[in-house]
Amino acid sequence: MKIYNKNNFFLGLFFGLLGIAMLIASIWKGFDIKGSLIMVLCLFFGIGILIRSLSAGLSREDKISKLDERNLLVKIKSRSTAFLWSEGICFLCLLACMLGHSVIGEVLSVPMTLAFGIMLAAMMLLELITVIYYNRKI
């Protein structure tokens, strides 16, 4: 038995062991719907990835798919869109916390305002740094 894709093998092994650990914990403490569903998903996902990592053809397909330009473009666009959405949501949460403190006088809003402000500043600073980096690189 030869491992053709080590990264996928270890990922499948991790999910398989996680599913087995959840099965043992469920046997010990009792089954519930949410835990059983997550356990089954972990087991199927882990076994599927293990099978793909042990097959030469399927591993070759995975490596080709990983290096495909279209897949890389989709990955880059989805990450940038997710980053823009997270910036917007963080800004809205910052405004809500600021309004919560100024209008209602809620004391808990002050540390949350500070936390959202720091997160938003860090996101904007990182965006500026990456723009400068890629402008110099390209």
Side-chain angles (χ1 to χ4, degrees):
M1 178 170 58
K2 183 175 178 183
I3 301 170
Y4 292 99
N5 193 341
K6 290 183 182 178
N7 291 336
N8 282 354
F9 178 77
F10 289 121
L11 184 67
L13 190 65
F14 171 74
F15 276 111
L17 291 176
L18 185 65
I20 292 171
M22 290 178 72
L23 176 65
I24 292 170
S26 295
I27 291 172
W28 187 313
K29 293 195 174 194
F31 290 92
D32 62 334
I33 299 294
K34 182 176 72 171
S36 299
L37 182 65
I38 293 172
M39 173 191 61
V40 167
L41 288 175
C42 282
L43 283 172
F44 283 140
F45 189 66
I47 291 170
I49 291 178
L50 276 174
I51 290 171
R52 288 189 74 86
S53 69
L54 296 175
S55 169
L58 295 175
S59 293
R60 189 176 318 112
E61 284 179 15
D62 288 342
K63 288 179 183 177
I64 290 171
S65 174
K66 186 178 180 182
L67 296 175
D68 186 26
E69 290 178 8
R70 183 186 177 281
N71 291 343
L72 291 174
L73 180 65
V74 168
K75 183 178 178 182
I76 289 170
K77 285 192 174 224
S78 66
R79 283 189 175 192
S80 67
T81 304
F83 183 73
L84 288 174
W85 275 91
S86 63
E87 267 187 339
I89 290 171
C90 187
F91 180 71
L92 291 176
C93 290
L94 176 67
L95 286 179
C97 289
M98 290 170 69
L99 287 174
H101 178 66
S102 63
V103 173
I104 302 172
E106 182 66 35
V107 179
L108 185 63
S109 296
V110 176
M112 290 176 61
T113 302
L114 193 62
F116 282 121
I118 291 171
M119 283 191 302
L120 187 61
M123 281 192 255
M124 289 181 171
L125 183 65
L126 284 173
E127 184 178 7
L128 180 66
I129 290 170
T130 55
V131 165
I132 292 170
Y133 172 76
Y134 284 115
N135 276 335
R136 287 186 178 177
K137 185 176 179 183
I138 297 176

